[in-house]
Amino acid sequence: MTSTSMPRSEGDSPDTPEEDTPHIIYDDEDINEAIHACSHSLVGRIITKKPIHTNSLQNALVGIWCNPKGLKIEEIQDKTFQIFFEEERDADRVLKGSPWLFRNSWLILKKWERGREIEDMIFTHVPIKIQLWGLPSHCKTPKMGMKIGSSIGEVKQAELFETRERGSFIKILVHVDITKPLKSGVNVGSRKNGINWIDFQYERLPQVCYSCGLVGHDEELCSKKTATETDGDDDIKGLGPWIRASQIGRKSWQNTSDEAKEGINRKKSQQRASLSGDLLEKLSTLSVVRNTTNPPVQAAPNPIYSQATNKENLDPMLNQTTPENNAANVNQPSQKNPPLSKPIAPNPPEFQQQKIPFTVPHQHKNLYTENMEAVPTQSTFP
């Protein structure tokens, strides 16, 4: 960086301030870091009459843009901001979605360019998707949409869409001049079909004044409301909430060209082939390995039924269900039934039987004997 003084001409007064003011000349090496940061930045302007705070704007855009890395916003002019991104792909993604809605106002974005002043950037044309309703069925073609959209602005795209409730319609992408009032529709016709009124419905429309047709304010803040009512301009007749699109629809397969259909089918087949190829390649790398280090775990045999494993040992056990067999086999186990491999533990002391005196009622003496065994204390009788 060098400092020089500009030469003075003969007519200049020695007291002029330019004479003593040095001119600084800098090189790109002095500003490389700033140029790199600005190369991933966007310049945006919010179309509104309301005051905008930078902190509120950044807090809102962090969530809307899915928290891009290194997001930073600086206000360079009134309602004009420079938005910095750390990665270029985030800047391209956000620029592709312009215009964005912030507090029901449009945020129009432009790519930052070195050597271009902010005053020279144009924030007056916005790409808007407009739905065309009212066309006869034989007139719903992309070429018809291009012709109708040319009366609004520069048309970028025209396609046929359809909905379940209202049928099909033409959707066009047009660069609209927002300094002019929005149109609610247009008359189209021919000698054979007559004249039809076509309604315009705008998608993602921000705050609009239905009195003057301009974007960025409502009827309460409109300065041209009185003049519009007296002039009766035809361009803004019929404006109201109905110019906002309530549904988006989906693309129709009807008017898609054969070449486009063939390209779509080819792309789908390539995707299926690539997926199947990847799957086969992964399966080819897999192999089955026998586990020889850890043999399968076998369940431990039941000690009670470990010796009674055949039908001959189980049948006598199943047959000992009658009271006679129970009475006979209480103290004499069957010869066919093997003894239990594990003895049964005696009852705890608190559950052992205790002998207590018992008096038999007179009416039940025939059922009991006087030499009756002791009754457990835990038992109860009615």
Side-chain angles (χ1 to χ4, degrees), residues 166-279:
R166 302 180 58 184
S168 59
F169 63 94
I170 298 294
K171 182 186 293 189
I172 57 177
L173 179 62
V174 188
H175 280 262
V176 179
D177 187 359
I178 60 176
T179 60
K180 298 179 180 179
L182 297 179
K183 296 181 179 181
S184 61
V186 68
N187 284 312
V188 298
S190 65
R191 295 180 180 179
K192 295 183 179 180
N193 300 321
I195 299 176
N196 297 95
W197 172 259
I198 308 303
D199 289 316
F200 294 163
Q201 291 188 1
Y202 302 82
E203 295 183 1
R204 298 177 59 192
L205 196 62
Q207 189 178 37
V208 180
C209 178
Y210 299 131
S211 297
C212 66
L214 295 178
V215 176
H217 64 274
D218 53 11
E219 297 180 4
E220 297 179 357
L221 302 176
C222 182
S223 59
K224 301 180 180 179
K225 183 176 180 180
T226 306
T228 302
E229 292 177 351
T230 56
D231 294 343
D233 193 353
D234 295 334
D235 292 338
I236 58 175
K237 284 184 177 180
L239 291 179
W242 48 85
I243 68 173
R244 298 179 181 272
S246 58
Q247 52 189 348
I248 298 177
R250 61 180 181 179
K251 290 184 180 180
S252 176
W253 190 258
Q254 178 180 354
N255 282 0
T256 306
S257 61
D258 296 336
E259 296 179 358
K261 291 180 180 179
E262 184 179 356
I264 294 173
N265 293 332
R266 189 185 306 110
K267 187 176 181 181
K268 290 182 178 180
S269 61
Q270 292 176 356
Q271 291 177 352
R272 295 193 192 99
S274 62
L275 289 175
S276 60
D278 296 340
L279 181 59

Side-chain angles (χ1 to χ4, degrees), residues 35-309:
I35 291 176
H36 178 73
C38 292
S39 62
H40 300 164
S41 67
L42 305 175
V43 180
R45 178 173 296 174
I46 299 180
I47 311 302
T48 183
K49 292 185 177 181
K50 301 177 182 178
I52 301 297
H53 300 284
T54 307
N55 293 335
S56 301
L57 178 62
Q58 179 158 350
N59 293 335
L61 295 182
V62 164
I64 296 175
W65 292 342
C66 301
N67 194 14
K69 190 175 181 180
L71 179 64
K72 185 178 67 172
I73 301 177
E74 296 180 359
E75 186 173 8
I76 52 181
Q77 288 184 4
D78 184 29
K79 299 181 180 62
T80 304
F81 304 86
Q82 187 168 3
I83 307 171
F84 297 89
F85 299 87
E86 189 169 332
E87 297 182 357
E88 186 176 2
R89 61 180 180 179
D90 290 332
D92 295 338
R93 173 177 57 86
V94 171
L95 180 61
K96 187 177 180 180
S98 178
W100 295 86
L101 281 175
F102 171 72
R103 293 184 179 178
N104 204 18
S105 300
W106 263 337
L107 172 60
I108 306 174
L109 299 175
K110 299 290 182 181
K111 187 71 175 179
W112 176 86
E113 297 179 10
R114 183 181 179 184
R116 188 176 182 181
E117 298 294 337
I118 303 300
E119 293 78 7
D120 299 334
M121 291 187 174
I122 301 175
F123 295 96
T124 57
H125 290 75
V126 179
I128 306 177
K129 293 182 179 180
I130 306 176
Q131 301 177 7
L132 308 180
W133 292 93
L135 283 171
S137 299
H138 61 279
C139 297
K140 295 179 181 180
T141 61
K143 290 184 178 180
M144 190 67 176
M146 297 287 288
K147 181 169 290 188
I148 296 175
S150 61
S151 64
I152 306 173
E154 183 182 359
V155 185
K156 294 295 184 180
Q157 193 176 6
E159 293 179 315
L160 180 64
F161 279 67
E162 58 184 9
T163 60
R164 294 182 179 180
E165 295 81 6
R166 302 180 58 184
S168 59
F169 63 94
I170 298 294
K171 182 186 293 189
I172 57 177
L173 179 62
V174 188
H175 280 262
V176 179
D177 187 359
I178 60 176
T179 60
K180 298 179 180 179
L182 297 179
K183 296 181 179 181
S184 61
V186 68
N187 284 312
V188 298
S190 65
R191 295 180 180 179
K192 295 183 179 180
N193 300 321
I195 299 176
N196 297 95
W197 172 259
I198 308 303
D199 289 316
F200 294 163
Q201 291 188 1
Y202 302 82
E203 295 183 1
R204 298 177 59 192
L205 196 62
Q207 189 178 37
V208 180
C209 178
Y210 299 131
S211 297
C212 66
L214 295 178
V215 176
H217 64 274
D218 53 11
E219 297 180 4
E220 297 179 357
L221 302 176
C222 182
S223 59
K224 301 180 180 179
K225 183 176 180 180
T226 306
T228 302
E229 292 177 351
T230 56
D231 294 343
D233 193 353
D234 295 334
D235 292 338
I236 58 175
K237 284 184 177 180
L239 291 179
W242 48 85
I243 68 173
R244 298 179 181 272
S246 58
Q247 52 189 348
I248 298 177
R250 61 180 181 179
K251 290 184 180 180
S252 176
W253 190 258
Q254 178 180 354
N255 282 0
T256 306
S257 61
D258 296 336
E259 296 179 358
K261 291 180 180 179
E262 184 179 356
I264 294 173
N265 293 332
R266 189 185 306 110
K267 187 176 181 181
K268 290 182 178 180
S269 61
Q270 292 176 356
Q271 291 177 352
R272 295 193 192 99
S274 62
L275 289 175
S276 60
D278 296 340
L279 181 59
L280 291 175
E281 184 178 357
K282 292 180 180 179
L283 291 175
S284 63
T285 58
L286 300 178
S287 60
V288 179
V289 180
R290 183 181 296 276
N291 188 3
T292 58
T293 59
N294 298 324
V297 179
Q298 298 181 355
N302 194 332
I304 299 178
Y305 301 102
S306 60
Q307 299 180 7
T309 56

Side-chain angles (χ1 to χ4, degrees), residues 350 352-360 368-381:
E350 58 271 14
Q352 294 181 359
Q353 296 180 350
Q354 299 178 5
K355 293 184 178 182
I356 58 174
F358 182 76
T359 303
V360 180
Y368 299 92
T369 60
E370 295 185 1
N371 297 327
M372 188 174 229
E373 295 293 333
V375 180
T377 56
Q378 288 83 3
S379 302
T380 57
F381 294 88

